[in-house]
Amino acid sequence: MSSVPPPERSDDESAPSISDEQLESFLREAAEGGGAPAPKEPSARARMVAARLRDQEEPAPWRGGPQSTPARGSRDRRRRAGAVAGVLVLAAVAVVALRPSLVLDRLPGDDASAQPTLAAETARPTGAPANAAGSPQATREHPFAGSPAERWAEGADAIVVPEAKALSGLGKDDVAFALRRAKELLVAANLDPAVLRGERPDEALDVLDPKQPELLPKLRRSLSAPDADHDPLRLFTRFDPEETRLAGDVVKVRGRMTLAAGEPGVVKVDADYTFVYPLVRVNDEDGPVARTIIRREITLTLNDPARWNVTEGKLLMEKYFSEYGNTDCDVHDGYLHPGFPDDDGPGGARPTGPSTDPYDRSRPVTGSEPGDCGQVTRT
């Protein structure tokens, strides 16, 4: 338990003393949540009366850390430790009665004590982020515990579009449209609950231009009959609904979106985002939490239909790369298959590639060679 500052001393040292009974009454009322004004009394008297109360009542159950069974011969030490705990609890209650802000601002779960959410990313980081202090184990109540993503923004709100401006012969409104549609694709492909359950990502497909050769046919083929050459996971996040589900409804997201001018009449939207998914097994109420981390780099373009043979209101996909942290190797059924802490071993092929930190956003994503499946250093 954190130590609590004592109440401020009054400058009036000549105030008359009070009886033990009055002080005892005040301390009892404070311990029960009463709000009676605090009488003035030297600290030595307070300790004497607190000791009297301690001998009559059990100490409050405020303890830090796990409990353990004391060894033989330690009963006296245990009693002394309990007495100290009782004094600390009573002192804390008295401080709350006198100056509540000293303690209430430090209560667990209070906004003032929570770790602040990181500001939106504006440039490529210079290194990998550190783990949370102590690296605690993920739980269903705290599925991001121990992960750098614990301080990341969540969901669609984490995808922040830059300010639109006229660029490459296209007006500000056209550029704003391109940014908005790029965000819609990212959200539909990676955050839509139905898509995460394996349903068709129709809203994401609708962003893309049907005049772009091969792209949409290839994506639709990957969704209907996935294999190693036609893998929907290259653009869409999907988990087997019979195997896993999200632990809660929060997905953590970090990244950035930038604008660039292409050829005349072409605006490029570059997006680089990492998504962290906490997962549990289906029909396993008490099982552990796993996290799968996916990083995607995509470049979409808005082409002026007056200059290019494109469909108005649609975007072209110039390139897209993806990395997946914590999923089985060489499984091409169109779903991600995370490993859990209590698994005996990987469900797919054993990783043979280099080790990678999936939270390290300081390095570019360049794609991987066929069959290159490494091991993540953390999830």
Side-chain angles (χ1 to χ4, degrees):
M1 188 178 83
S2 299
S3 60
V4 180
E8 293 181 353
R9 288 187 57 184
S10 169
D11 292 334
D12 184 4
E13 297 293 346
S14 61
S17 179
I18 61 172
S19 68
D20 290 353
E21 289 75 19
Q22 288 176 311
L23 184 57
E24 178 176 340
S25 175
F26 160 70
L27 290 175
R28 286 186 184 278
E29 291 175 2
E32 296 170 357
K40 300 171 183 177
E41 177 64 15
S43 59
R45 180 74 62 82
R47 287 194 297 270
M48 291 171 59
V49 177
R52 183 183 306 161
L53 292 176
R54 187 174 64 246
D55 293 339
Q56 298 171 4
E57 300 175 357
E58 290 294 326
W62 292 8
R63 295 181 174 86
Q67 300 182 26
S68 59
T69 303
R72 290 185 180 181
S74 64
R75 178 175 299 178
D76 291 339
R77 291 194 298 273
R78 180 178 60 183
R79 286 178 176 173
R80 287 195 294 272
V84 173
V87 171
L88 291 174
V89 170
L90 288 173
V93 172
V95 170
V96 172
L98 294 169
R99 292 185 59 192
S101 63
L102 290 176
V103 172
L104 296 182
D105 289 345
R106 297 169 171 78
L107 288 178
D110 187 86
D111 290 340
S113 64
Q115 288 291 323
T117 300
L118 291 177
E121 189 176 280
T122 57
R124 186 181 298 279
T126 58
N131 273 329
S135 298
Q137 187 75 26
T139 66
R140 294 179 182 234
E141 293 77 18
H142 302 285
F144 299 100
S147 162
E150 194 168 23
R151 293 186 59 197
W152 292 5
E154 61 188 57
D157 291 342
I159 302 176
V160 180
V161 300
E163 183 178 356
K165 60 183 178 181
L167 197 63
S168 194
L170 292 171
K172 180 178 179 179
D173 290 345
D174 292 325
V175 175
F177 172 80
L179 292 168
R180 183 172 70 252
R181 292 294 274 167
K183 176 172 179 174
E184 289 173 359
L185 185 145
L186 288 167
V187 171
N190 300 284
L191 297 173
D192 185 331
V195 174
L196 299 183
R197 293 192 301 267
E199 298 183 23
R200 285 182 61 86
D202 291 329
E203 292 185 18
L205 295 171
D206 185 61
V207 173
L208 301 173
D209 194 336
K211 289 186 178 181
Q212 184 169 7
E214 298 184 5
L215 178 64
L216 282 175
K218 186 174 183 178
L219 290 175
R220 292 191 177 106
R221 160 73 167 76
S222 71
L223 290 163
S224 60
D227 57 31
D229 295 324
H230 303 83
D231 193 344
L233 299 178
R234 292 172 183 169
L235 189 59
F236 310 113
T237 303
R238 308 168 80 237
F239 297 96
D240 188 343
E242 297 183 359
E243 178 182 301
T244 57
R245 61 177 177 83
L246 281 182
D249 56 2
V250 173
V251 176
K252 294 285 190 168
V253 185
R254 186 152 184 81
R256 63 193 181 279
M257 189 184 297
T258 56
L259 279 170
E263 298 178 59
V266 178
V267 171
K268 295 187 177 186
V269 180
D270 293 299
D272 178 356
Y273 284 91
T274 300
F275 302 85
V276 183
Y277 304 89
L279 301 151
V280 294
R281 296 188 186 93
V282 173
N283 300 324
D284 185 0
E285 297 299 325
D286 301 317
V289 174
R291 287 190 292 254
T292 291
I293 302 97
I294 300 178
R295 184 177 173 191
R296 301 195 186 275
E297 280 192 9
I298 66 173
T299 298
L300 297 162
T301 69
L302 178 67
N303 293 44
D304 185 354
R307 302 188 186 191
W308 299 83
N309 181 23
V310 295
T311 304
E312 186 172 1
K314 303 292 184 179
L315 302 184
L316 299 176
M317 180 71 76
E318 182 176 293
K319 63 182 179 180
Y320 55 108
F321 295 123
S322 297
E323 286 185 347
Y324 321 104
N326 189 24
T327 187
D328 287 345
C329 297
D330 295 338
V331 178
H332 304 289
D333 60 357
Y335 298 115
L336 294 155
H337 297 278
F340 286 82
D342 59 352
D343 285 341
D344 293 334
R350 189 169 296 277
T352 57
S355 296
T356 303
D357 181 353
Y359 291 99
D360 185 1
R361 295 184 42 77
S362 65
R363 54 183 179 75
V365 178
T366 58
S368 59
E369 297 297 326
D372 184 12
C373 184
Q375 188 168 3
V376 294
T377 58
R378 56 178 173 174
T379 64

